[in-house]
Amino acid sequence: MATIWENINLPPREKLKGVEVADCTVIGGGLAGIMIAAELERRGFGVVVLEADRVLSGATRGTTAKLTAQHGLIYSKLSQKISPMTARLYYDSNREGVEKIRRLVRERDIDCDFSDISTAVYGRDDDSAISREMRTLEMLRIEGEMIHPRDLPFEVKGAVEMKNQAQFHPLKFAGALSKNLKIYEKSPVVSLEDGKVTTPKGVVRTNYIICATHYPFLNIPGFYFLRQHQYRSYALALGTDKKPERAYLGIDDNLSIRSFDRGIIVGGMGHRTGYNQKGGCYMNLLATAKRYYPKAEVITCWSNQDVITHDGLPFIGRYSVFSPRMFVATGFNKWGMSLSAVASNIVPDLICGCENKYEKLYSPFRTHLKAAAVPFFEDAAHAVVGISRGMFSKREERCTHLGAKLQLNRDDGTLECPCHGSQFSCGGKVEFSPAVRDVREKK
Ligand SMILES: Cc1cc2nc3c(=O)[nH]c(=O)nc-3n(C[C@H](O)[C@H](O)[C@H](O)COP(=O)(O)OP(=O)(O)OC[C@H]3O[C@@H](n4cnc5c(N)ncnc54)[C@H](O)[C@@H]3O)c2cc1C
């Protein structure tokens, strides 16, 4: 379904045909790919972007676009499971990410409904997790404040506010950045090797490859399919005057609420991708929203998914030890706005041989056993079950990534892989990677 952002017309780009030469090839025209490509071009590289479908037609078109360094309860989680130093670095990098987008909007005079706002996480049933997050912010000397908001239509026990954050129109922003980039659309990359990227009708010979496809489709090397899964959530745009002054995230009801010019966007009712055979997510979200905003009209609704890593940190850096000229940006854990900006500093720095103080934090080679062990085994169990079921299924019911049995998402009428989260239209067309091949259509 159409998202609230799809009210802009980006001019179509040609398909890649024949042989092209570039210093850097960015695969994937989402926010991460566009920001990385724009930064590389600013630094003087010749850049080509290859997009499987249309630019900004992936997860970025379905985001709620809160641009913030406040990512749920991330600071208490990282401090506890990894270290306070990790949490502080995560904050610094995301704060810089928010500032980078703010600066680009100002310097390039991008009309993208950018507004400076505060963000807040709230607890409705219990404020112990909220208080813990506040104590962690104090310990890490990160600016935050305990508040009792009055701009929400329900009572909360407590909330932590972070000032000087923002919200914007992601497609207007990224669309403006993409304007002068050399982009080929309808050009899915089907294979990669050192210095060569291949699409069905063309080839790019290149020094550096950047994989910004949301979920990497190349399994070996890198083994990203063992390290992350996908999570789908639902969103409703409602026409109302009752707009909150901040953008919110509830830690117990898991609702996300922000304003936009015509009203509010309410998000929630998420599930691991591949686990919505019964449906009802839109209905439940609508019922919840109507309880709090009874007079609001539904403008549109949509769903979207993001990539979840085991330790809560994205993978930004060299793709693998065996591919020093190939880079990756994935696993944004539902916070890809600021993190795309972070990636757009780290990847170009690595290519230029410049030091970047966040390189180790986001390195795809890191190991955080304490944080990652349990989610690793959970993901492995999902993969074993899904792939085993796939062995006894018909070909058109199997995911083209690793053969797991696809499941119907009854709300969207799509087919989803419960292992790694590839999504296909009901006709079998790939809509979300890691799959690259369509499922053969039923006769
Ligand atoms: C419901 C929801 C709400 C969210 N709200 C927020 C928020 O408020 N704030 C925030 O910071 N984050 C939010 N996020 C997360 C954010 O939307 C994502 O992290 C971000 O958009 C990911 O951008 P991307 O560029 O990595 O991926 P994408 O936008 O998906 O871009 C990847 C592109 O790669 C292309 N591609 C894939 N395979 C190939 C191939 N083989 N060849 C060529 N191209 C290929 C795809 O077509 C796609 O266009 C939210 C996520 C969800 C699910």
Side-chain angles (χ1 to χ4, degrees), residues 27-33 50-68 71 187-190 212-215 217 231-235 302 304-306 329 332-340 431-433 435-436:
I27 310 171
L31 184 64
L50 297 174
E51 165 54 48
D53 193 352
R54 297 282 327 269
V55 164
L56 303 171
S57 63
T60 302
R61 80 181 243 291
T63 183
T64 50
K66 289 175 280 178
L67 177 60
T68 175
H71 298 172
S187 302
V189 172
V190 287
T213 56
H214 194 233
Y215 198 118
F217 61 88
Y231 192 87
R232 181 158 284 271
S233 308
Y234 298 78
W302 68 91
N304 188 27
Q305 66 186 38
D306 208 18
F332 293 146
N333 294 289
K334 299 190 246 174
W335 295 106
M337 302 294 105
S338 57
L339 284 164
S340 289
E431 294 192 335
F432 274 88
S433 52
V436 274

Side-chain angles (χ1 to χ4, degrees), residues 47 90 110 123 210 238 289 336 349 403:
V47 185
Y90 186 87
I110 300 175
I210 299 99
L238 299 172
D349 279 352

Side-chain angles (χ1 to χ4, degrees), residues 4 19 47 85 106 118 129 162 260 274 304 345 407 420 426:
I4 198 76
V19 180
V47 185
M85 172 70 101
R106 200 177 45 234
S118 298
M162 211 176 253
F260 72 107
N304 188 27
N345 290 333
Q407 301 290 344
H420 308 103
C426 58

Side-chain angles (χ1 to χ4, degrees), residues 326-372:
M326 201 168 133
F327 300 84
V328 68
T330 184
F332 293 146
N333 294 289
K334 299 190 246 174
W335 295 106
M337 302 294 105
S338 57
L339 284 164
S340 289
V342 171
S344 76
N345 290 333
I346 296 178
V347 172
D349 279 352
L350 292 177
I351 290 176
C352 294
C354 303
E355 204 178 306
N356 184 298
K357 63 180 168 182
Y358 309 117
E359 178 185 345
K360 277 200 186 134
L361 174 69
Y362 295 115
S363 167
F365 312 150
R366 66 180 184 260
T367 44
H368 291 134
L369 286 182
K370 189 173 148 201

Side-chain angles (χ1 to χ4, degrees), residues 1 80 107 195 198 328 333 366 441:
M1 268 174 267
Q80 202 185 353
E107 282 175 4
T198 307
V328 68
N333 294 289
R366 66 180 184 260
E441 288 190 46

Side-chain angles (χ1 to χ4, degrees), residues 398-417:
R398 289 201 299 251
C399 181
T400 57
H401 176 226
L402 292 178
K405 184 170 178 3
L406 294 171
Q407 301 290 344
L408 177 69
N409 176 332
R410 197 167 288 281
D411 278 301
D412 286 330
T414 47
L415 296 169
E416 295 177 350
C417 175

Side-chain angles (χ1 to χ4, degrees), residues 418-437:
C419 301
H420 308 103
S422 298
Q423 194 202 38
F424 303 84
S425 69
C426 58
K429 183 179 173 299
V430 178
E431 294 192 335
F432 274 88
S433 52
V436 274
R437 278 181 298 114

Side-chain angles (χ1 to χ4, degrees), residues 293-309:
Y293 299 94
K295 294 196 180 140
E297 297 157 37
V298 177
I299 298 173
T300 185
C301 59
W302 68 91
S303 77
N304 188 27
Q305 66 186 38
D306 208 18
V307 183
I308 310 297
T309 62

